[in-house]
Structure formats: C-alpha cells, structure tokens
C-alpha cells in the first residue's frame, strides 16, 4: 500500500503526461503546469480553422516557446518530453482536434508535421473530408480521402486521434490503420459506465486495445457515471474500468482541461457550433461542466487518489505518463 507521503514523492519523480488540454493558454497556464508537476501536454492548436488560421496558431505557439522558455519547450519526439522533465519544464506536443487545417490537400500534412503538429484528431464532432464526428446526423464512415489521410499520417509519424469521431468512422479507422501505427482515443470516457454518444463503447475500446491503440481518460463531469457530482476518486474508478477492458499498459490521462475559458464564453460557443458558427452541436458552450481533477496546479492530488485505490507504484507510473510515452514512440519514434 502506497502511503500519502510516498504517493506525493512518487508523483513528483514520475513523468506525468496529459493527452489533451484546450486551455486559455498563457503564462498563467504554463506556470500552473509546473506547479502541478505536469511534464508534458498535448495542446490543442486547431479545431475549426482552415490552413491559414492553423498556420497563425502555430506561429503563436512558436512565439510562446521563445517568450516562456523558462517554463515550456516544444516536443517533436518522446526524447524531447523526457528532456523537459530533466530541465524542470513542460513539453508541449502541438495537436489538432480536427483535420480542417489541411483542407483538401494531403501534402499539407507534411508541412504541419515539420512545424511540430504531431497529433491530429481525424474529425471534430461533424463531417469533414475524412469522415464523421459523433454529432453528425449520418456517420459516413471513413471516406476514400480519409483512408489516404490516415495512411499519410502513419507514414509521417502523426498520431491519429479518434476521440470526437463517430462510431462507424472510429471502427473503420481502427480496422484500416497500418499495422504498428494504431490510432488513439486521447480524451474519452467509457460508455459502459455511462451511455452517451460522446463516450466510446466498451466494444470499440477493446477493438482499439487489440490493435495496440491507446486510451486517455477525460474528466468531463456530465459524461461520467455520477455526472457533475463526480470526484477525483470516481475518475480513478473510470481508469480502473478501462484497465479491466484492455490492460494497464494502454491507459493514461487525457484530462481535456479547458482552464481559463469560461462557460458561457465566446470561445466555448465557437467550439460547440458546427464549423464554429452554424448549428449548435452540444449544450456545453454554456451549461455547467465539473472537471473533478480540479485545477492544473493541483494535479498531484491524482497521485494521492491512485494511492487511495490501492494502486501499486508501477501502475501509477504507467498511467501517469509512461504508457503515453511508449505509445507515442510507436508513432513519433523515440
């Protein structure tokens, strides 16, 4: 049994990687990462934007890497993430929650890969050239163009994320993805604990696991078993549930932290409308959402919650970060 004191020490020494943040990024957030012992983060820098606006988002991050080099550094590889831990910084893996940024041009994938966008969700909530999101009226499945996108992403070493993707498209991608380059669910919750269209079915989680894919667990209160009454202990229970489905080597954290953005806010309204302006897709641009991991600066509490559940040191280290890094090595290289 890991004691509270041991859990704090273990958390501090363990590399913690968070598979999804969509915060109101600023020095305040970067400082919170360091205070919370968060050593690597996959940060959303694209949602509905086309090519030009996606380039502008990357340019902004490049400026932040220079201006806040005492706190953050860009990660292109797993070695960069480990180096950030050694230096007392947070490694940022630039990521998209949609492939809208490549528009209809496969060659743009290489451009963004070279700029450091190393993780892309195939679709965000609705239909695009590659497939359908989970709120789309008709889930088309993986399109012909989408097959080319998935193949090219694997070739270039870009992680294919399926978190907001519709169930048919999700299944198609898992089954089509090149061997050895499985996709991931970077920020989801299990449908077996609460049925919701945004949650992934146990069947799909098992299918992904059978291919060596990865599952990061979100902390989106309304989609958890106890809704907005969920606690950090309920979050660890959800981690255990998925571990029972696919084993403890393929599960990690994907908090979906949106710290710094209000509800309601213009940003959240934009996120929750089709293409950022059309039909409203979900009520979460304005309705209450509790995220039980709490503030980024308090992330060490997750280690204590794992210890309360009787987790071993080995399991804690794996789920806090080592599992993510092993998966990323498959796609990005070491």
């Amino acid at each position: 049994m890991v004691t509270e004191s041991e859990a704090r020490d273990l958390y501090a020494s363990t590399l913690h990687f968070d598979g999804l943040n969509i915060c109101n990024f600023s020095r305040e957030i970067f400082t919170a990462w360091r205070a919370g012992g968060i050593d690597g983060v996959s940060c959303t820098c694209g949602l509905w934007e086309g090519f030009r606006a996606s380039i502008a988002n990357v340019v902004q991050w490049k400026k932040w890497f220079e201006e806040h080099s005492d706190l953050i550094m860009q990660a292109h590889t797993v070695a960069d993430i480990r180096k950030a831990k050694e230096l007392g910084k947070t490694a940022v893996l630039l990521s998209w929650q949609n492939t809208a940024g490549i528009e209809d041009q496969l060659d743009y994938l290489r451009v963004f890969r070279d700029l450091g966008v190393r993780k892309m969700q195939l679709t965000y909530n609705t239909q695009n050239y590659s497939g359908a999101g989970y709120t789309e009226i008709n889930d088309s499945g993986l399109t012909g163009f989408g097959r080319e996108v998935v193949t090219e992403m694997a070739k270039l070493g870009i992680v294919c994320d399926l978190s907001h993707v519709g169930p048919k498209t999700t299944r198609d991608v898992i089954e089509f993805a090149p061997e050895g380059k499985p996709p991931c669910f970077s920020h989801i919750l299990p449908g077996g604990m609460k049925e919701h269209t945004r949650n992934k079915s146990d069947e799909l989680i098992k299918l992904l696991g059978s291919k060596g894919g990865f599952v990061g667990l979100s902390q989106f209160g309304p989609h958890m078993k106890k809704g907005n009454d969920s606690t950090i202990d309920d979050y660890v229970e959800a981690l255990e549930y998925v571990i029972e489905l696919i084993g403890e080597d393929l599960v990690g954290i994907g908090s979906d932290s949106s710290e710094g953005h209000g509800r309601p806010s213009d940003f959240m309204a934009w996120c929750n409308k089709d293409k950022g302006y059309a039909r409203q897709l979900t009520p979460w641009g304005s309705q209450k959402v509790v995220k039980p991991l709490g503030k980024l600066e308090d992330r060490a509490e997750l280690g204590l919650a794992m210890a309360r559940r009787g987790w071993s040191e080995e399991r804690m280290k794996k789920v806090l970060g080592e599992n993510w890094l092993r998966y990323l090595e498959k796609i990005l290289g070491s």
Side-chain angles (χ1 to χ4, degrees):
M1 181 75 175
V2 178
T3 67
E4 179 176 332
S5 175
E6 290 170 339
R8 289 190 184 279
D9 290 343
L10 185 144
Y11 180 86
S13 63
T14 296
L15 192 152
H16 176 36
F17 186 86
D18 190 334
L20 198 287
N21 275 196
I22 186 170
C23 302
N24 189 4
F25 298 112
S26 65
R27 188 170 181 85
E28 183 177 356
I29 295 296
F30 309 151
T31 301
W33 286 338
R34 296 314 313 137
I38 302 172
D39 304 301
V41 187
S42 170
C43 293
T44 298
C45 67
L47 201 73
W48 297 117
E49 297 94 335
F51 178 81
R52 185 182 181 89
S54 295
I55 288 287
N57 288 346
V58 173
V59 169
Q60 177 60 75
W61 271 103
K62 296 290 187 180
K63 291 178 179 178
W64 283 334
F65 291 134
E66 289 186 3
E67 293 167 4
H68 307 290
S69 61
D70 57 323
L71 296 173
I72 60 173
M73 58 181 277
Q74 185 171 7
H76 294 265
T77 65
V78 170
D80 291 336
I81 300 171
R82 294 197 184 280
K83 185 65 174 178
K85 172 71 171 176
E86 292 175 11
L87 295 174
K89 300 181 183 183
T90 298
V92 173
L93 188 73
L94 294 181
S95 309
W96 286 354
Q97 288 203 57
N98 201 349
T99 48
I102 68 164
E103 299 177 352
D104 60 356
Q105 299 297 311
L106 283 171
D107 287 342
Y108 289 175
L109 286 168
R110 183 180 298 275
V111 172
F112 283 104
R113 189 281 307 270
D114 290 349
L115 289 170
V117 181
R118 302 304 302 270
K119 176 168 161 281
M120 298 179 182
Q121 189 169 259
L122 195 65
T123 71
Y124 181 74
N125 291 354
T126 59
Q127 185 77 39
N128 66 14
Y129 288 113
S130 293
Y134 83 96
T135 70
E136 190 54 69
I137 294 168
N138 176 50
D139 186 347
S140 66
L142 182 64
T143 66
F145 182 77
R147 285 185 168 215
E148 295 188 72
V149 169
V150 171
T151 300
E152 189 70 6
M153 287 173 67
K155 174 185 170 184
L156 294 171
I158 300 171
V159 173
C160 182
D161 185 7
L162 302 174
S163 298
H164 284 252
V165 176
K168 185 176 187 303
T169 302
T170 295
R171 176 181 293 278
D172 288 350
V173 175
I174 295 171
E175 293 178 342
F176 177 77
E179 187 175 353
K181 300 288 184 178
C184 75
F185 302 153
S186 74
H187 59 296
I188 62 101
L189 285 160
M193 294 190 78
K194 182 168 184 174
E195 189 172 346
H196 190 281
T197 53
R198 172 65 174 83
N199 292 348
K200 296 296 187 187
S201 70
D202 290 2
E203 180 188 6
L204 284 176
I205 291 172
K206 288 178 181 179
L207 178 63
L208 181 69
S210 73
K211 303 289 187 178
F214 192 84
V215 179
L217 266 288
S218 167
Q219 51 155 344
F220 198 83
H223 298 163
M224 295 181 71
K225 185 172 68 174
K226 296 180 183 177
N228 278 335
D229 293 326
S230 299
T231 67
I232 195 168
D233 295 302
D234 297 316
Y235 179 80
V236 177
E237 181 186 7
L239 288 169
E240 287 185 349
Y241 183 91
V242 178
I243 286 170
E244 287 296 314
L245 295 177
I246 60 174
E248 69 176 31
D249 294 334
L250 299 175
V251 180
I253 312 303
S255 73
D256 199 12
S257 174
S258 56
E259 193 163 313
H261 291 299
R263 294 179 196 268
S265 66
D266 290 343
F267 177 78
M268 285 298 175
W270 175 77
C271 289
N272 288 280
K273 291 181 179 179
D274 194 2
K275 312 302 182 283
Y277 71 90
R279 66 187 173 100
Q280 182 173 310
L281 303 172
T282 79
W284 308 123
S286 58
Q287 290 190 12
K288 181 180 179 180
V289 174
V290 171
K291 297 192 174 182
L293 292 183
K295 293 184 176 181
L296 294 165
E297 65 183 12
D298 297 327
R299 183 60 62 86
E301 294 300 315
L302 177 57
L304 302 186
M306 290 173 169
R308 283 196 296 273
R309 294 286 296 191
W311 283 28
S312 67
E313 291 190 11
E314 182 183 14
R315 175 176 283 191
M316 290 172 67
K317 290 177 180 179
K318 286 180 178 181
V319 176
L320 284 170
E322 288 301 323
N323 285 346
W324 256 121
L325 269 56
R326 278 193 296 271
Y327 167 74
L328 290 173
E329 284 180 339
K330 295 180 189 178
I331 314 300
L332 310 183
S334 58

